[in-house]
Amino acid sequence: MSSPVPAAAGSGGNRGPGPRSSSSTGSRTAPGSLAVIGAGAAGCAGVAALRRQGWAGPISLWESGRGPGGRTATRRSRTDPGLRLDHGAPMFNLTASPPPALLEPLLAGGWIEPFTDPIAQLDGQGQLHPGGTAPYGLGSLYRGQGGMEQLCRGLLEQAGPGVETHFGQLVRHLEVTPQRRWRLLGPDRQTLAEVDWLVLSGTLLAHPRSRLLLDWPEVPLAAAAAQLQDPQLQHVLAVLASIQSEARSNLLLVVPAAAAAPWRKLPFRLLEFSEAAQLRWNLSRLSVQPLADGRCAVVAHSSATFASEHLSVYGSRSSIASQLGVTPRPEQEQAVIEALTAALRDALGQALGRWFSAAALRRSLAGERQLMRWGAAFPRAPGLPLELALCPTSRVGFCGDYVAGPGFGRVEGALRSAEALAGRLLAAAAGESAAAAAVNNRCESRRGPTPLLG
């Protein structure tokens, strides 16, 4: 489904600036059309940075999910207006200076706000400690105002209305046309678009895990790259194939208002599990999200080990699984849900007895529960070197938290890599334009002056 940039839900009235005018970015070039695949933090930051830095050509954004956000998405319900659940990252942090250029408009526009909620850590003995030590809790902390999805909606607002968005559309195949343009195809090999430049804000289409997790016979970008014979792109594909990622299986539940009081009184909103605690309970993080109507949304993130043992189990609401026609496995899904529920009950029962009675904890965990699986939640270092993030000969670029640099493996890395790639794309496109102009000038000079008609 194609649409302009979506309107924000629940944002403040003051909006940040859109793309800069040509007076603030210098003369614009006409670099051709560009498609960004993936509307998470990196993809949305990429289109925002491209427009702000002066990309004048058509831009389209492709996302298999129902809206922008990716691992910073917010789950809502058409039948339950009060439901809001950040099922991935509950906040993000910045640790390096200066901050990304995209940050200030997000703050000024009311799209994000400082995250000031208390953080605690649970050790392997079941003892609770104030504060946290995880990398995502250091530096300056922020969250979406009204839900984490507001981060990406604010970035799309900066990009302006000229970005064509396609939500709920899986790009399954890639091809290179005889004119060396990129052709995007859907699951049935139907043509979705043809563009001059391609940006991948995630690694699914370029990493062998797509064959393992989704049973694809080929890696889409690798299959298309064989036509290009570009040594740099082949090297990038080899580097990407070597990058390992940690998966997560997340338990989602909404505690009814009648049972939510103990949850709302907890001395933290984000609970880290130490390495020993992760080994003991198979959990890595717990996010407690009080709702305006008295209920409480709770998201329990599994450990990497637990998720790796259940990689084939999708959540029943997985958009990519439904688009690929993957057969649901309700028995296996329920088994994973029960295992995570039991781990959460055991961990909290030991550490939080002063807030929960055993009966109250059991009742609060007995409601409707869902499973959300992230197949590549956290990339492992060293990542893709920033110098390899653009293959100008093939006209393909890469951005995301898997690109090496400050903020690697976090939202910060996604934002910074997107800004860096945007600048390189503009430079590469300008170089192509200059080269084409020089060729045209040489051709004109060889023709000589046009004879005058007397």
Side-chain angles (χ1 to χ4, degrees):
M1 181 177 181
S2 172
S3 66
V5 175
S11 172
N14 181 26
R15 301 281 177 87
R20 296 174 183 168
S21 66
S22 57
S23 62
S24 63
T25 59
S27 60
R28 290 173 179 260
T29 61
S33 57
L34 180 145
V36 177
I37 300 180
C44 293
V47 298
L50 281 165
R51 283 297 193 227
R52 287 175 60 83
Q53 294 182 33
W55 186 280
I59 297 178
S60 58
L61 180 64
W62 301 82
E63 168 60 44
S64 63
R66 302 174 185 88
R71 282 171 282 156
T72 59
T74 301
R75 177 165 293 186
R76 300 180 187 273
S77 171
R78 296 184 181 90
T79 59
D80 184 356
L83 178 63
R84 187 185 79 204
L85 192 150
D86 294 329
H87 53 76
M91 52 82 157
F92 70 99
N93 67 327
L94 300 176
T95 58
S97 295
L102 297 167
L103 179 70
E104 192 280 330
L106 290 169
L107 287 167
W111 298 99
I112 64 173
E113 63 185 358
F115 180 90
T116 58
D117 290 344
I119 301 175
Q121 186 180 79
L122 185 66
D123 67 22
Q125 302 301 314
Q127 298 298 310
L128 196 65
H129 306 275
T133 59
Y136 56 75
L138 306 177
S140 300
L141 312 184
Y142 302 94
R143 64 180 170 195
Q145 186 170 320
M148 276 300 296
E149 67 182 358
Q150 294 299 89
L151 167 63
C152 287
R153 292 192 182 277
L155 291 168
L156 292 182
E157 178 76 6
Q158 291 189 52
V163 175
E164 189 178 82
T165 58
H166 301 264
F167 298 120
Q169 179 61 68
L170 173 67
V171 177
R172 167 61 184 85
H173 305 276
L174 297 170
E175 291 180 352
V176 178
T177 72
Q179 296 76 32
R180 295 178 71 86
R181 303 182 80 216
W182 288 98
R183 179 180 292 136
L184 283 56
L185 302 103
D188 298 323
R189 300 202 74 93
Q190 72 275 25
T191 297
L192 303 175
E194 285 189 12
V195 295
D196 299 302
W197 296 81
L198 177 67
V199 171
L200 300 187
S201 68
T203 59
L204 181 65
L205 298 182
H207 196 283
R209 77 171 186 281
S210 60
R211 302 177 64 182
L212 172 66
L213 298 180
L214 302 173
D215 200 27
W216 290 356
E218 86 292 332
V219 179
L221 182 59
Q227 307 171 55
L228 293 170
Q229 298 183 344
D230 179 357
Q232 183 186 3
L233 181 55
Q234 293 295 338
H235 179 58
V236 169
L237 286 167
V239 174
L240 290 174
S242 71
I243 298 175
Q244 302 298 311
S245 297
E246 295 181 359
R248 289 292 185 272
S249 298
N250 295 351
L251 175 68
L252 318 179
L253 65 139
V254 179
V255 181
W263 290 93
R264 300 174 73 94
K265 294 178 181 178
L266 290 174
F268 58 81
R269 288 293 176 259
L270 194 61
L271 179 65
E272 302 173 1
F273 285 71
S274 70
E275 290 187 6
Q278 291 186 42
L279 292 174
R280 180 175 177 181
W281 286 295
N282 280 326
L283 299 172
S284 62
R285 180 165 63 178
L286 179 68
S287 175
V288 179
Q289 306 168 27
L291 301 179
D293 60 6
R295 294 178 295 172
C296 194
V298 178
V299 182
H301 299 235
S302 79
S303 66
T305 301
F306 180 92
S308 69
E309 295 170 345
H310 302 86
L311 277 179
S312 63
V313 183
Y314 296 85
S316 58
R317 300 192 180 187
S318 167
S319 57
I320 189 170
S322 63
Q323 292 180 52
L324 290 171
V326 175
T327 303
R329 300 176 178 177
E331 297 84 4
Q332 293 187 22
E333 180 181 358
Q334 191 60 36
V336 172
I337 288 174
E338 294 300 335
L340 290 172
T341 303
L344 185 59
R345 184 168 53 241
D346 185 37
L348 299 187
Q350 289 206 30
L352 305 177
R354 59 180 291 191
W355 290 277
F356 288 104
S357 68
L361 180 59
R362 187 168 54 252
R363 284 195 302 271
S364 69
L365 298 177
E368 180 184 359
R369 294 158 293 165
Q370 298 175 15
L371 180 68
M372 167 65 73
R373 194 211 67 179
W374 298 108
F378 297 100
R380 294 176 179 168
L384 178 69
L386 185 62
E387 296 76 14
L388 298 180
L390 177 63
C391 299
T393 301
S394 298
R395 290 181 167 180
V396 58
F398 305 87
C399 62
D401 63 354
Y402 61 93
V403 177
F408 174 78
R410 297 181 283 109
V411 171
E412 179 179 9
L415 300 178
R416 293 187 184 279
S417 67
E419 288 188 343
L421 178 63
R424 295 184 65 190
L425 282 166
L426 263 296
E432 280 195 1
S433 298
V439 170
N440 290 335
N441 290 337
R442 285 197 296 271
C443 291
E444 291 295 332
S445 64
R446 288 171 185 168
R447 292 194 187 106
T450 302
L452 297 175
L453 297 177

